[in-house]
Amino acid sequence: MTLTIDIHGMVEFDAIKTLEKFIANAPKNCTEIIVIHGYTQGSILKDMVRNPNKLRSRRIKKRKLTMNQGETILELYV
């Protein structure tokens, strides 16, 4: 099961809280979350999602970079 969340326009602090809550509430059978963070307005959200020291969830197994610069896939433990 794959879920998607869009964090465009959020400040970093709000985006971290929103993502951590979203990941924690994701169903147990969810294997990945596509995070749409954008890239044209700077790279703060992109860097936050891709940095394991900023977005800390024990459910995140791996961060996958895609050909689309504006999204990152978070692979989760089931």
Side-chain angles (χ1 to χ4, degrees):
M1 172 185 221
T2 301
L3 299 176
T4 304
I5 185 169
D6 187 343
I7 58 171
H8 275 106
M10 292 186 184
V11 295
E12 184 178 15
F13 179 78
D14 292 339
I16 289 171
K17 294 299 176 196
T18 301
L19 271 173
E20 287 177 346
K21 191 174 193 178
F22 190 81
I23 293 167
N25 293 329
K28 296 295 180 194
N29 64 341
C30 180
T31 57
E32 57 185 29
I33 296 175
I34 300 172
V35 181
I36 301 170
H37 45 68
Y39 70 97
T40 57
Q41 297 293 325
S43 61
I44 292 172
L45 292 178
K46 178 177 76 170
D47 294 341
M48 179 271 299
V49 172
R50 295 178 178 184
N51 185 343
N53 293 323
K54 293 210 174 182
L55 183 61
R56 299 179 187 190
S57 173
R58 293 181 180 190
R59 286 195 67 190
I60 298 174
K61 183 178 188 179
K62 182 170 42 169
R63 290 161 169 82
K64 295 182 190 176
L65 310 182
T66 66
M67 294 300 289
N68 180 350
Q69 291 278 325
E71 75 177 18
T72 301
I73 299 174
L74 301 177
E75 188 175 315
L76 304 179
Y77 289 107
V78 181

